[in-house]
Amino acid sequence: MVKQLRATFASLPDYRPGQNTTYAIQDAAVGAFSVFFMQSPSFLAHQRDLQRKQGRNNAASLFGVEQIPSDPQIRNLLDPISPDHLRAPYWAIFAALHDEGHLKQHVGHANTVLIALDGTYYFSSQKIHCDNCTVHTHGEQTRYSHAAVTPVLVAPGQNTVIPLEPEFILPQDGIEKQDCEQQAVKRWLARNAVRFAPWSVTILTDDLHSHQPFCSLLLQHQCNFILTCKPDSHPTLYSEIELLDKIDGVAQLSVGQFNGRFSEVWQCRYVNQLPLRSGEDALFVNWCEVRIVRKQTGELLYHNAFITNHPLTDQTVQPLLRSGRTRWKIENENNNVLKNYGYHLEHNFGHGQQYLSALLVMLNLLAFLVHTVLSLSSLKYQRLRHELGPRRTFFDDLRTLTRYLFFPSWDHLLDFMLTQLELQPAPDSS
Ligand SMILES: [Zn+2]
């Protein structure tokens, strides 16, 4: 994967005139990637030290960095490069995961792939800004920020989420108005829906996108949807439900289940074919709601409602709700991990004047994706992560080992750890 990434990085545009500096661009991109991958802001500094003392370093052996660039060099080289140039590796890795059968368990309702689309802020400041910042003014105060839509593939019962190519909320050529999450989601869909077979995907979003124009767009792109649907933003739909409720027109169903720790009851309600808004051109959608309560005490554990194009019956409503509910994973497993558990989404390489902050997020998410791939496909990685418990322990060890010792390859490094922990790798494991 590192080789594949290097190949992509080799084709990044170099905007400095008159210099043959292919390696420099490649090294800057791989260098930044290695920092995210090792979850160590000082990884490159340590490797420079190692090179000086031992005449060799792990940035070269593990990541193929020819000459370790300095942080200012990385900033200058990467700043002018649009994040669009880094889309391809996401899909190459996704295709490899799919082809090797690692995504078989990652399916949701009606055998579709569940893609959760959600926006997240990765930068906010009152001082630091660039030409591509989103600007919010409140009275005297101006706030500069950057955000992106970070789609992930989720599945009920799977702890692993798979990050897909993000879409940045950035000023678009020829458009005066500031960009926003809704527009970014539309662009992502227009570009990527064709990558999947018709009706093989179910899109999950929060209430922000749960309106007729977006639902129509999803259907146009032959995508299914399960979208959060709150009463305040859907008055027409909920007044229909209220009327139907009076004549027992809302189907109800209670399903008990054991969640591994205690018994829950899923109290489901659903109606097919409700108008999404007022007016004659209203789109008709199916609606369902769930209240999950603890069986013993009746304590409410979870409550949500969704609209969907999938037909609802007594048989399908609970599996559908289970799929809809996996959207929380994007917050828990993806955005939360990225912000709080080692990925340093706002890394100190800095902000730049053009695209730097977005490009770094792109590299950071790629590091997260490669870790995810390893957790699905590498026995050695799985054993080490399992043995070392919290993710921080694994990366602390990696950081310390590579600071003091030289490893000619990833295999040497992982085998060293396995041997020291007295975990025998399987003979043909990779
Ligand atoms: Zn900015």
Side-chain angles (χ1 to χ4, degrees):
M1 277 187 287
V2 169
K3 270 190 203 138
Q4 204 175 45
L5 287 174
R6 277 192 69 79
T8 305
F9 298 158
S11 62
L12 290 174
D14 190 340
Y15 292 105
R16 294 165 307 162
Q19 293 180 55
N20 184 3
T21 48
T22 322
Y23 283 130
I25 289 279
Q26 210 179 9
D27 282 348
V30 185
F33 173 79
S34 73
V35 164
F36 296 123
F37 191 85
M38 302 302 273
Q39 312 223 317
S40 166
S42 42
F43 176 68
L44 293 177
H46 292 157
Q47 299 314 307
R48 250 179 256 121
D49 283 350
L50 207 60
Q51 179 66 35
R52 192 167 47 77
K53 290 175 194 152
Q54 300 189 17
R56 52 194 189 169
N57 73 81
N58 296 301
S61 61
L62 302 181
F63 295 96
V65 178
E66 307 253 341
Q67 273 196 319
I68 303 172
S70 67
D71 284 7
Q73 273 173 323
I74 291 181
R75 274 195 288 275
N76 291 339
L77 286 165
L78 299 186
D79 192 24
I81 299 173
S82 155
D84 299 353
H85 292 287
L86 288 182
R87 284 175 187 156
Y90 283 87
W91 295 108
I93 294 171
F94 182 78
L97 276 177
H98 181 268
D99 294 347
E100 287 164 27
H102 294 298
L103 298 181
K104 281 191 187 136
Q105 307 297 319
H106 278 77
V107 287
H109 185 66
N111 242 348
T112 58
V113 168
L114 305 180
I115 297 177
L117 294 172
D118 221 339
T120 186
Y121 282 92
Y122 60 88
F123 173 82
S124 174
S125 170
Q126 287 183 314
K127 282 195 201 129
I128 300 169
H129 59 93
C130 70
D131 294 346
N132 285 328
C133 274
T134 301
V135 187
H136 293 285
T137 314
H138 289 290
E140 299 273 281
Q141 280 194 343
T142 303
R143 181 155 285 284
Y144 303 97
S145 62
H146 282 262
V149 171
T150 51
V152 291
L153 201 145
V154 294
Q158 297 293 323
N159 287 328
T160 315
V161 302
I162 296 160
L164 301 175
E165 166 206 326
E167 176 68 30
F168 289 89
I169 299 169
L170 285 175
Q172 299 295 302
D173 285 345
I175 296 171
E176 291 273 306
K177 246 173 71 177
Q178 280 205 126
D179 198 21
C180 64
E181 183 178 325
Q182 278 104 324
Q183 293 304 326
V185 164
K186 281 187 205 166
R187 287 197 300 275
W188 189 90
L189 204 65
R191 198 169 59 242
N192 295 314
V194 290
R195 294 179 186 276
F196 301 89
W199 308 111
S200 69
V201 167
T202 298
I203 298 288
L204 316 174
T205 73
D206 63 13
D207 189 71
L208 177 69
H209 303 281
S210 173
H211 48 65
Q212 180 149 339
F214 187 61
C215 292
S216 302
L217 189 73
L218 287 169
L219 296 175
Q220 249 174 46
H221 285 295
Q222 300 181 298
C223 291
N224 304 291
F225 57 83
I226 305 174
L227 313 179
T228 301
C229 175
K230 290 184 177 163
D232 294 353
S233 43
H234 299 83
T236 306
L237 186 130
Y238 276 91
S239 65
E240 286 280 322
I241 294 167
E242 212 173 296
L243 289 173
L244 283 169
D245 210 12
K246 287 180 185 153
I247 53 163
D248 290 332
V250 178
Q252 307 208 13
L253 181 75
S254 261
V255 190
Q257 70 163 42
F258 187 68
N259 69 9
R261 287 183 300 140
F262 53 83
S263 294
E264 301 172 342
V265 180
W266 288 49
Q267 300 167 340
C268 314
R269 303 199 310 147
Y270 67 90
V271 183
N272 285 303
Q273 296 297 300
L274 287 169
L276 185 47
R277 66 180 184 198
S278 58
E280 286 189 354
D281 64 344
L283 184 71
F284 282 71
V285 294
N286 308 326
W287 170 90
C288 56
E289 176 194 58
V290 64
R291 293 166 58 84
I292 303 176
V293 298
R294 205 177 171 123
K295 194 177 178 188
Q296 294 288 333
T297 61
E299 178 199 351
L300 181 65
L301 303 169
Y302 177 81
H303 176 216
N304 213 341
F306 303 94
I307 52 168
T308 179
N309 68 315
H310 288 295
L312 295 170
T313 66
D314 281 1
Q315 283 69 45
T316 65
V317 68
Q318 201 206 11
L320 182 128
L321 286 162
R322 204 187 293 282
S323 282
R325 196 187 172 209
T326 54
R327 203 190 67 79
W328 65 266
K329 280 176 188 285
I330 194 172
E331 271 301 321
N332 266 22
E333 305 284 333
N334 191 61
N335 297 345
N336 198 17
V337 170
L338 286 174
K339 282 183 181 167
N340 302 320
Y341 295 95
Y343 289 90
H344 307 286
L345 206 55
E346 302 171 28
H347 177 63
N348 57 11
F349 278 130
H351 191 80
Q353 288 304 310
Q354 287 170 276
Y355 295 113
L356 184 63
S357 68
L359 198 83
L360 294 176
V361 169
M362 208 74 177
L363 291 169
N364 204 343
L365 280 168
L366 270 175
F368 181 43
L369 176 58
V370 176
H371 291 152
T372 306
V373 172
L374 290 174
S375 73
L376 290 171
S377 64
S378 161
L379 208 54
K380 289 181 185 178
Y381 183 85
Q382 286 164 6
R383 285 192 179 185
L384 286 168
R385 282 294 307 274
H386 179 76
E387 176 68 16
L388 293 171
R391 59 181 301 123
R392 177 170 294 179
T393 313
F394 173 77
F395 286 103
D396 280 349
D397 284 6
L398 216 57
R399 198 157 39 230
T400 310
L401 285 170
T402 54
R403 178 172 184 176
Y404 297 110
L405 302 173
F406 171 76
F407 296 93
S409 72
W410 280 106
D411 271 331
H412 285 89
L413 172 55
L414 298 181
D415 287 343
F416 177 88
M417 293 172 84
L418 287 164
T419 309
Q420 295 303 313
L421 293 163
E422 297 179 342
L423 300 166
Q424 285 308 310
D428 59 346
S429 67
S430 57

